[in-house]
Amino acid sequence: MNSKNQQAAIRYLQENGEATPRKLADALGVTNKKIHNLLQNMQGYGRLSREGKKYRLAPNWQEKVCIAKSILERQTAPKSVAVQECRRNWKGYQVHKIFGSSRGAGNRF
C-alpha cells in the first residue's frame, strides 16, 4: 500500500518538515477529499503523526514503508512444468481464456 501519492506526500514532508492537508493537496494536485483519505490511511499505518492541523512523518516511518514495499516486491511462484505443457497441448486454451474470464459477468441480475 505504497501508492504514488503516498510517495509524493512523503517526499514533500521530508523536504518541508510538516504540512496542512490543503498545502499537500495543492502540492500533489489532488482533491481535498482524496488527500484527507490518504493522510488518514497513512496515519493509521503509523507513517504520519498529527499535531493540530499539521501532519509530520512519524519517527519510525521508514520501517513502515519498507514493510509495505517488501510485500509488494515478492515474486509469484513459477508455474509448474506440467501446467505449462498442458497449456501448450490444449488447442482450445486461448478460447477458454476468453470465455472463461467472462463467466461471472453473465450471472448478474
Side-chain angles (χ1 to χ4, degrees):
M1 193 169 261
N2 197 10
S3 70
K4 291 179 184 178
N5 286 336
Q6 285 184 5
Q7 292 173 2
I10 288 172
R11 270 188 254 115
Y12 184 86
L13 290 170
Q14 281 178 324
E15 293 169 3
N16 299 314
E18 63 184 18
T20 62
R22 185 170 298 248
K23 282 184 183 178
L24 274 172
D26 292 340
L28 301 180
V30 296
T31 62
N32 284 339
K33 183 174 182 176
K34 189 166 197 153
I35 200 70
H36 279 286
N37 289 338
L38 177 73
L39 293 173
Q40 286 179 353
N41 186 11
M42 290 175 69
Q43 187 178 7
Y45 280 106
R47 296 178 185 149
L48 295 179
S49 62
R50 182 177 179 184
E51 296 175 11
K53 292 185 178 182
K54 295 185 179 183
Y55 287 88
R56 294 179 179 214
L57 290 171
N60 58 350
W61 70 270
Q62 293 97 345
E63 295 172 5
K64 308 290 183 180
V65 173
C66 292
I67 291 170
K69 282 185 181 178
S70 66
I71 291 170
L72 293 176
E73 291 174 355
R74 274 193 254 164
Q75 296 180 357
T76 59
K79 305 245 188 242
S80 69
V81 177
V83 171
Q84 292 173 356
E85 185 67 26
C86 288
R87 287 181 177 169
R88 278 195 296 265
N89 293 336
W90 183 21
K91 294 179 182 176
Y93 178 69
Q94 294 300 324
V95 174
H96 171 73
K97 278 181 27 180
I98 294 168
F99 290 108
S101 64
S102 65
R103 179 176 17 153
N107 294 335
R108 296 182 186 152
F109 291 98

